[in-house]
């Protein structure tokens, strides 16, 4: 750390030079600026730099390097492990950099590093275009994409990172690079799953696709119908087209108008069947699910951007998540998955989810460090609750879900679904065969491991 006099002078200079705002611990607005999505995270950075553009990011990174401060990068602030915040370091806060420019003729969007999914989805909507995004509107685009990116459209359009065309990146040396398949190709490869290890993504360019229709079937069943509903959902997906996606979900029935009052606060089994097409095609696909006796039925066409907002995670809850990627979802797995719902913490916001893969995910580029691509299914225990007294039981339940799934696990994992689970899980999320190349890339671009508040790749 730098002497206090040097630190004070550097902070004063940063306040002067930055177009955006700078927050130190004694400043009004500091606590609001450091609040994250996950209420379990309470860290106190020395400086928060709310950047207005790429030049501000360069200035902030150089400031941190001068004072030997660790750097965390905040886009959407949706990391379950709180990786966008640190203690005693600098936070490069990109939230003001959220502009999205759509180029309809080129089928591409240029996206600010602080944009969240709603910025991207709403900008694309008037053109009838879309690309694979997260499953909620509040997820930050940058961290989502660079970590791989799975969502409702991935079976049709591939993982988000498969649609990455370019990144403007501020490196650990405070240099701004434009990274594409032609310019800095090794770094471009590393950004396809390597997350924030190589710099600050001030903007990204993503490929877009025509999406003239989107429709969903959302059904809630009594828990005893759960095994039949999950098996049927599995069969519908495995026999269906890549336009079909969604998830099988155990959850606490929410206090919404469409939920019968006698179910609110109780465990229910749900299926969300998404379809990148018109409602009549969805109804035909959903027939076997509709034939199972159910308590709630919602079958409708709706804009993709509206679907993205349907299950937004409210901020201020405590969160602990994980995942296992599966070789398949045979009946024995379905039975174990459904049985574990019986011990799910209810009533909480916790969800017990089975997501399909396949389609364009499996047929996408094989060379990127995304080793979960070939898994046909993924189980995602999503712990979300309010009372700190529930911390231990929710985390233990998440670990039990993983243990149940291990007989069918591929060993790979999508790191955006996990918190800090140790170095072995980082390897599982990048692929053992890729880690040496990633480590060498890290050594060339960030030998001091400045960008380490992430699923970290150590320099080799």
């Amino acid at each position: 750390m730098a002497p206090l006099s040097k630190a004070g002078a550097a902070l004063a200079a940063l306040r002067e030079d930055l177009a955006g705002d700078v927050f130190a611990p004694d400043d009004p607005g500091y606590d609001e600026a450091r609040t994250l999505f996950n209420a379990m995270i309470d860290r106190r950075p020395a400086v928060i730099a709310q950047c207005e553009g790429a030049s501000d990011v360069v200035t902030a990174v150089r400031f941190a390097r001068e004072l030997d401060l660790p750097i965390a990068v905040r886009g959407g602030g949706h990391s379950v492990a709180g990786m966008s915040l640190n203690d005693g370091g600098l936070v490069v806060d990109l939230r003001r950099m959220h502009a999205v420019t759509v180029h309809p003729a080129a089928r591409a969007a240029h996206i600010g590093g602080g944009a969240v999914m709603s910025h991207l989805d709403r900008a694309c909507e008037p053109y009838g275009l879309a690309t694979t995004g997260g499953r909620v509107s509040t997820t930050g685009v940058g961290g989502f994409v660079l970590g791989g990116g799975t969502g409702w459209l991935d079976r049709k359009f591939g993982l988000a990172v498969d649609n990455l065309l370019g990144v403007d990146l501020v490196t650990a040396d405070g240099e701004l690079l434009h990274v594409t398949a032609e310019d800095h190709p090794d770094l471009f490869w590393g950004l396809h799953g390597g997350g924030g290890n190589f710099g600050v993504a001030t903007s990204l360019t993503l490929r877009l696709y025509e999406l003239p229709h989107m429709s969903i079937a959302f059904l809630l069943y009594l828990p005893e119908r759960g095994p039949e509903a999950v098996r049927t959902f599995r069969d519908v997906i495995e026999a269906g087209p890549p336009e079909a996606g969604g998830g099988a979900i155990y959850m606490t029935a929410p206090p919404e108008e469409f939920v019968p009052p006698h179910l609110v606060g109780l465990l229910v089994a749900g299926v969300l069947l998404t379809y990148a097409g018109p409602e009549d095609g969805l109804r035909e696909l959903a027939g076997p699910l509709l034939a199972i006796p159910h308590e709630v039925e919602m079958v409708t066409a709706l804009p993709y951007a509206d679907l993205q907002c349907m299950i937004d995670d409210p901020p201020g809850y405590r969160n602990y998540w994980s995942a296992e990627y599966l070789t398949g979802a045979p009946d024995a797995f379905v039975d174990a998955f459904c049985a574990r719902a019986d011990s799910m913490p209810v009533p909480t916001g916790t969800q017990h989810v089975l997501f399909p893969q396949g389609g364009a995910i499996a047929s996408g580029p094989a060379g990127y460090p995304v080793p979960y691509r070939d898994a046909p299914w993924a189980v995602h225990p999503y712990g979300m609750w309010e009372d700190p007294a529930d911390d231990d039981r929710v985390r233990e339940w998440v670990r039990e879900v993983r243990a149940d799934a291990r007989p069918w696990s591929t060993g790979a994992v999508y790191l955006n679904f996990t918190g800090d689970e140790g170095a072995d899980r980082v390897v599982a999320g990048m692929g053992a065969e890729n880690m040496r190349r990633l480590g060498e890339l890290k050594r060339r671009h960030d030998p001091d491991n400045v960008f380490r508040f992430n699923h970290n790749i150590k320099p080799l």
Side-chain angles (χ1 to χ4, degrees):
M1 294 290 290
L4 289 177
S5 57
K6 179 181 178 183
L11 179 60
L14 181 67
R15 293 186 191 274
E16 181 69 24
D17 294 341
L18 214 71
D21 291 329
V22 175
F23 293 94
D26 292 335
D27 292 336
Y30 169 82
D31 283 332
E32 182 180 358
R34 71 183 181 90
T35 299
L36 293 181
F37 161 84
N38 186 356
M40 295 182 76
I41 309 300
D42 182 17
R43 296 179 184 147
R44 299 186 63 82
V47 182
I48 301 171
Q50 293 190 335
C51 299
E52 293 281 357
S55 61
D56 271 2
V57 175
V58 169
T59 299
V61 168
R62 291 177 177 174
F63 162 83
R65 296 308 307 275
E66 179 185 355
L67 298 183
D68 194 27
L69 291 175
I71 299 174
V73 182
R74 177 172 185 159
H78 214 268
S79 158
V80 66
M83 292 173 178
S84 45
L85 206 63
N86 60 27
D87 281 315
L90 170 75
V91 173
V92 177
D93 187 337
L94 304 177
R95 283 178 291 174
R96 297 186 181 187
M97 300 167 55
H98 57 70
V100 176
T101 303
V102 177
H103 304 280
R107 295 289 189 268
H110 187 75
I111 305 147
V116 297
M117 286 302 157
S118 60
H119 295 128
L120 173 59
D121 298 334
R122 295 299 182 190
C124 294
E125 189 175 28
Y127 304 98
L129 299 172
T131 194
T132 299
R135 294 178 173 89
V136 296
S137 70
T138 52
T139 301
V141 176
F144 167 79
V145 172
L146 299 183
T150 170
W152 303 127
L153 297 176
D154 51 14
R155 284 172 40 82
K156 177 63 175 174
F157 299 141
L159 297 170
V161 78
D162 295 342
N163 297 304
L164 181 63
L165 301 175
V167 180
D168 291 319
L169 193 78
V170 176
T171 68
D173 292 331
E175 182 182 2
L176 181 60
L177 301 180
H178 182 60
V179 182
T180 66
E182 293 76 32
D183 298 318
H184 313 286
D186 281 353
L187 191 52
F188 188 65
W189 173 85
L191 293 173
H192 282 70
N197 273 283
F198 304 107
V200 185
T202 60
S203 66
L204 304 91
T205 302
L206 293 179
R207 182 184 296 109
L208 303 177
Y209 300 88
E210 291 186 2
L211 186 67
H213 303 285
M214 193 76 202
S215 49
I216 65 161
F218 179 65
L219 300 133
L220 292 181
Y221 305 87
L222 295 176
E224 53 266 31
R225 295 283 183 183
E228 181 183 3
V230 174
R231 284 193 296 269
T232 303
F233 174 71
R234 175 200 62 195
D235 296 344
V236 165
I237 290 291
E238 291 184 348
E243 286 81 3
I249 310 168
Y250 280 91
M251 60 191 294
T252 300
E256 301 287 351
E257 288 185 7
F258 61 85
V259 176
H262 69 277
L263 292 180
V264 172
L266 302 179
L267 178 69
V268 290
V271 166
L272 175 62
L273 181 64
T274 62
Y275 185 65
E279 183 181 340
D280 55 353
L282 169 72
R283 285 191 176 274
E284 181 178 354
L285 194 68
L289 290 162
L290 293 166
I292 302 170
H294 49 277
E295 306 301 306
V296 171
E297 175 183 324
M298 183 189 307
V299 182
T300 185
L302 83 172
Y304 171 66
D306 289 353
L307 166 61
Q308 289 284 73
C309 300
M310 272 186 59
I311 55 172
D312 276 357
D313 312 314
Y317 282 77
R318 305 172 77 78
N319 283 260
Y320 183 79
W321 320 334
S322 196
E324 290 290 338
Y325 278 68
L326 310 174
T327 57
D331 287 350
F333 166 78
V334 172
D335 290 343
F337 173 81
C338 295
R340 183 55 60 189
D342 292 340
S343 61
M344 194 180 92
V346 173
T348 68
T350 297
Q351 297 178 7
H352 187 29
V353 190
L354 179 67
F355 286 130
Q357 292 220 119
I361 304 170
S363 63
Y368 294 139
V370 282
Y372 47 87
R373 182 184 298 281
D374 295 336
W377 292 92
V379 61
H380 178 33
Y382 187 99
M384 188 170 70
W385 68 103
E386 292 182 88
D387 189 348
D390 287 332
D391 287 2
D392 288 343
R393 76 172 180 130
V394 178
R395 287 183 292 202
E396 180 58 26
W397 177 81
V398 168
R399 289 189 285 265
E400 288 170 345
V401 173
R402 284 191 59 204
D404 291 343
R406 283 197 186 106
W408 300 277
S409 175
T410 67
V413 67
Y414 170 50
L415 292 172
N416 283 355
F417 275 171
T418 72
D420 182 0
E421 297 182 359
D424 288 348
R425 285 284 270 178
V426 175
V427 174
M430 308 286 183
E433 68 279 8
N434 297 315
M435 284 303 288
R436 177 165 297 279
R437 182 177 173 186
L438 289 165
E440 291 171 350
L441 194 64
K442 181 78 168 181
R443 185 191 69 234
R444 294 200 299 274
H445 292 279
D446 185 11
D448 298 323
N449 203 12
V450 171
F451 298 110
R452 59 184 180 272
F453 290 93
N454 45 45
H455 291 292
N456 193 236
I457 299 165
K458 292 192 167 49
L460 290 181

